[in-house]
Amino acid sequence: FGKLVKEFEKLPRCQHLKLQHFMLKPVQRLPQYRLLLEDYLKHLDPDSEDFDDTTHALHIVSEAAEHANNTVKQGDKFQRMLRLQSRLGDWELIKPGRELIKEGELHKISRKGVGSRYFILLSDCLLYTSYQGAWAGDSTSLKVTYAIMLNQLQVNLSSCQDREYSTEFSITSNVRSCTLRAKDVKERNDWLDALNTAIEDYRSRKATFLTSESLTVSSNEGHLGEAAPVWVPDQRVTMCQMCGAEFNLVQRRHHCRACGKVICTTCSKNKAPLRYKRWESHRVCDSCYDSLEKQHGQDEDLRSRFKKRDHSRAVNKYIPQRLKLSANSEGSQMSGHLRRRGKHGKWKRSWYVLKERVLYTYRASEDTVAAETLPVLGWSLQPLSNATDLPEGASPELTFQLIHPGSETLMFVAENPELTDKWKAELLSSTTL
């Protein structure tokens, strides 16, 4: 019998669905029975001998239909789960009590670029899937790369106001962590609402079943090495985020497996065991090494897995104190991309941070050392007098300039009118006492 079932499931008309999925089809018939009985009762004479029996039958079928609808969240959602099951192949999607909450494509930002991934949010987990085929569509097969349980999932939103990052958010877990980008802000907010609601509902359902052991585990969440970090994309840094050494053809980029920062070869020579890697030793930065050693260095089973790099030959690049401010440091008045006009009329896009009346310039948005600084107190903020030769896509309303006697005039273009107004307001308050 088992052989016959497998042969039946391989038929093209089964569309990769298993027999048990077809056995769920009768559940969908209950709402149809209710509609038929309601229509029949509407045309039935109240004096008919079948009227009472029909009314009783409608009551029974309505209760059964309501129960079925609560179980599968209406027939359309069940059909969506069936279609998803067909796309996922052997991965068992449909389980008792599992509900489909949201599905859709998001762009995953990796260290090298951006790639499309398909995410399926269920009532108990988030499925991170990739497309199987040369093209991505509604019928393309999907492969489950990671299944992240909701009790292990955290969702974070960047505090950066820059338009380029306004549609991004990150997910963190002990299975997989990454930064995701939606098509627009509305779609990002829809995903944030759905994820946060699903996580809260899942934890509420499980709260009554927590044991003292699970409570102890949950209280340790957030410790370094417990969950996979979100890696900083390569293109958002031009230097080591630890020592400030600039990357080039010789100085390669590496990622700390504990915090996700981009570090140089020298700073990545430490190795420490990580819980989310099942206590295997992986490269970490100096800061993470010290923290992990403090946490687990006394454990006899883990002590031998710590390997600290040799600092005796390390020669760090000299960095002036005035440049030592991270591009995403807390407490800044304003930060984001601006285009600035250079000496030869060319416009260059850089990352700027305004903090404590000083305007910091960075080559990339995650650099830890500024390229230059400008104390803006005493400068005059004015609209651009000659709004010609602007960069492509820019309009005069996006421009402003800083003027100081005896210094070169600095001309800027912001990303959009809203950010232009914010930059002007913050600069105005910083240039005057």
Side-chain angles (χ1 to χ4, degrees):
F1 178 76
K3 183 179 179 181
L4 290 174
V5 170
K6 290 182 179 180
E7 290 178 354
F8 172 75
E9 292 174 346
K10 291 180 180 178
L11 295 175
R13 61 181 178 179
C14 289
Q15 299 180 348
H16 303 292
L17 296 176
K18 297 185 180 296
L19 181 62
Q20 62 188 23
H21 301 140
F22 289 100
M23 295 177 68
L24 293 171
K25 182 67 176 176
V27 176
Q28 295 178 285
R29 293 177 181 162
L30 289 172
Q32 297 173 356
Y33 293 154
R34 181 175 62 183
L35 293 174
L36 287 172
L37 285 172
E38 287 176 347
D39 190 54
Y40 176 67
L41 191 62
K42 187 187 300 182
H43 295 85
L44 190 63
D45 191 333
D47 297 329
S48 172
E49 60 180 8
D50 294 331
F51 187 84
D52 292 340
D53 291 339
T54 304
T55 303
H56 183 61
L58 177 60
H59 178 71
I60 295 174
V61 171
S62 296
E63 286 186 343
E66 184 177 355
H67 177 73
N69 287 339
N70 291 335
T71 304
V72 299
K73 291 293 183 180
Q74 304 297 335
D76 58 338
K77 187 170 289 189
F78 182 67
Q79 287 293 338
R80 286 170 59 195
M81 291 192 73
L82 285 177
R83 287 195 293 269
L84 282 173
Q85 181 65 75
S86 176
R87 298 176 68 184
L88 293 173
D90 293 335
W91 201 92
E92 188 176 1
L93 176 71
I94 301 177
K95 288 185 176 181
R98 175 177 282 173
E99 300 176 7
L100 175 64
I101 299 175
K102 188 174 179 59
E103 60 173 311
E105 182 181 88
L106 291 169
H107 296 288
K108 181 242 178 184
I109 301 176
S110 64
R111 62 176 299 184
K112 294 296 184 182
V114 180
S116 298
R117 299 290 185 270
Y118 201 84
F119 288 84
I120 303 170
L121 178 59
L122 304 170
S123 56
D124 61 334
C125 64
L126 175 67
L127 300 185
Y128 175 117
T129 73
S130 55
Y131 294 103
Q132 296 287 95
W135 60 281
D138 294 338
S139 60
T140 308
S141 296
L142 300 171
K143 179 183 178 181
V144 177
T145 310
Y146 302 100
I148 307 173
M149 299 303 296
L150 294 185
N151 63 332
Q152 301 172 350
L153 184 65
Q154 292 184 358
V155 184
N156 299 298
L157 180 63
S158 173
S159 59
C160 179
Q161 303 178 31
D162 193 69
R163 183 181 65 174
E164 183 177 337
Y165 309 138
S166 62
T167 60
E168 295 180 4
F169 64 96
S170 61
I171 57 173
T172 307
S173 74
N174 61 354
V175 178
R176 179 63 167 162
S177 300
C178 59
T179 299
L180 303 173
R181 179 183 294 165
K183 290 186 297 186
D184 49 43
V185 175
K186 181 181 181 303
E187 185 183 59
R188 183 207 65 179
N189 292 338
D190 289 344
W191 271 104
L192 288 174
D193 291 341
L195 286 165
N196 287 322
T197 302
I199 292 171
E200 184 177 351
D201 291 345
Y202 180 81
R203 289 177 176 173
S204 297
R205 291 195 303 270
K206 296 296 182 181
T208 55
F209 300 99
L210 289 177
T211 62
S212 58
E213 181 181 354
S214 60
L215 286 171
T216 302
V217 172
S218 62
S219 65
N220 290 330
E221 288 183 357
H223 286 183
L224 192 66
E226 299 287 331
V230 177
W231 282 17
V232 176
D234 286 3
Q235 64 272 20
R236 295 186 185 179
V237 290
T238 63
M239 62 183 66
C240 174
Q241 293 185 292
M242 292 302 298
C243 69
E246 295 185 4
F247 294 122
N248 49 45
L249 293 176
V250 179
Q251 189 70 277
R252 295 180 55 202
R253 291 173 170 84
H254 301 277
H255 278 82
C256 172
R257 266 51 174 185
C259 66
K261 290 182 178 179
V262 185
I263 52 181
C264 64
T265 303
T266 303
C267 292
S268 67
K269 289 182 178 180
N270 301 300
K271 287 196 174 182
L274 302 171
R275 180 187 289 274
Y276 81 93
K277 288 289 189 180
R278 298 182 180 180
W279 299 117
E280 292 181 359
S281 292
H282 289 269
R283 67 172 77 224
V284 295
C285 64
D286 291 343
S287 177
C288 290
Y289 180 90
D290 293 339
S291 298
L292 290 166
E293 188 178 38
K294 185 176 181 181
Q295 291 179 34
H296 309 295
Q298 302 302 319
D299 191 318
E300 294 182 0
D301 296 331
L302 301 178
R303 191 180 303 166
S304 61
R305 302 182 187 182
F306 285 90
K307 294 181 180 179
K308 191 173 182 65
R309 71 181 180 98
D310 183 12
H311 286 267
S312 60
R313 299 182 179 180
V315 179
N316 293 331
K317 173 186 175 183
Y318 171 72
I319 300 174
Q321 189 64 35
R322 62 185 177 83
L323 300 178
K324 292 183 179 180
L325 181 75
S326 176
N328 53 13
S329 63
E330 296 181 358
S332 61
Q333 298 165 250
M334 192 70 189
S335 63
H337 282 112
L338 291 173
R339 281 176 285 186
R340 174 179 161 184
R341 187 171 183 176
K343 295 181 179 180
H344 303 290
K346 293 184 178 180
W347 293 86
K348 183 178 180 181
R349 188 170 184 259
S350 301
W351 185 267
Y352 289 87
V353 173
L354 180 63
K355 185 176 182 179
E356 297 177 354
R357 302 181 186 274
V358 178
L359 185 64
Y360 296 84
T361 306
Y362 299 85
R363 296 187 181 92
S365 61
E366 297 285 343
D367 281 352
T368 54
V369 177
E372 58 180 288
T373 61
L374 175 69
V376 295
L377 182 62
W379 285 67
S380 175
L381 177 67
Q382 297 181 11
L384 199 61
S385 56
N386 184 17
T388 59
D389 194 25
L390 295 177
E392 184 178 355
S395 59
E397 64 177 358
L398 303 180
T399 64
F400 57 90
Q401 60 183 349
L402 289 172
I403 299 175
H404 190 279
S407 299
E408 179 187 358
T409 299
L410 305 178
M411 292 174 281
F412 298 94
V413 174
E415 300 284 319
N416 56 52
E418 182 182 357
L419 289 176
T420 304
D421 293 339
K422 289 182 179 180
W423 273 109
K424 286 181 177 180
E426 295 296 340
L427 284 169
L428 184 62
S429 65
S430 298
T431 54
T432 57
L433 288 174

